[in-house]
Amino acid sequence: SLMEVRVACEGRRACTINASSDVFGDPCYGTYKYLFVLYFCRTSRPTVRVQRTCEGHNAVMSCTNGHQMINVRYANYGRTAFHPCVHAARHDLSCRASTSTSVVSSRCQNKMSCVVPAVPSVFGGDPCYGTYKYLTVEYVCTD
């Protein structure tokens, strides 16, 4: 069934499919059948942008095209690797503030630009005392 729908519709703005045994065959003769199609129209995949900001600085996200808005995919305030924001205090590499995505989304979702301070108080406290943290935000700009 998928192949028939794909051949008839893929890459087109609109399509019509005859839901009949002539098109799809008859797997259960004598039984009433229906066709259910779930589809998504895609123009192109938006580029995922990544913003990394060291603790104590402001993360700035923006969509430069005048009508696009920020769509937050993921955020983490903490530390999961040695390399971003090199600092002597890199002890905990599994540090994640559980509120990260919800906090960043509440400040940025569906806005053209936003600023999020990479500080513990914004994320409900320090998720790993003694470890120098950074904020990672993955987002796309969508219409």
Side-chain angles (χ1 to χ4, degrees):
S1 296
L2 177 60
M3 185 54 74
E4 288 81 3
V5 173
R6 184 174 280 157
V7 167
C9 299
E10 192 168 54
R12 299 183 185 181
R13 290 180 148 297
C15 67
T16 302
I17 302 169
N18 186 11
S20 73
S21 298
D22 294 338
V23 175
F24 295 99
D26 193 351
C28 304
Y29 181 77
T31 303
Y32 178 77
K33 297 158 209 63
Y34 62 93
L35 176 65
F36 177 79
V37 177
L38 179 64
Y39 65 93
F40 298 93
C41 295
R42 289 188 284 180
T43 50
S44 63
R45 289 189 171 197
T47 301
V48 176
R49 300 173 184 211
V50 178
Q51 175 67 44
R52 283 195 182 87
T53 306
C54 300
E55 184 172 9
H57 297 275
N58 289 329
V60 178
M61 281 68 66
S62 65
C63 295
T64 54
N65 187 333
H67 63 277
Q68 290 188 320
M69 302 294 181
I70 295 169
N71 182 347
V72 177
R73 297 278 180 96
Y74 166 83
N76 182 56
Y77 176 68
R79 179 170 282 280
T80 58
F82 277 111
H83 299 292
C85 301
V86 176
H87 192 276
R90 299 178 292 181
H91 311 294
D92 186 350
L93 296 183
S94 60
C95 177
R96 291 179 169 85
S98 62
T99 60
S100 300
T101 301
S102 61
V103 166
V104 174
S105 292
S106 71
R107 291 173 173 246
C108 299
Q109 193 72 15
N110 297 320
K111 295 183 180 178
M112 289 194 295
S113 65
C114 66
V115 176
V116 180
V119 296
S121 60
V122 169
F123 297 94
D126 195 331
C128 48
Y129 292 101
T131 296
Y132 187 67
K133 291 158 281 298
Y134 55 89
L135 174 61
T136 301
V137 179
E138 293 179 8
Y139 68 100
V140 295
C141 295
T142 56
D143 293 323

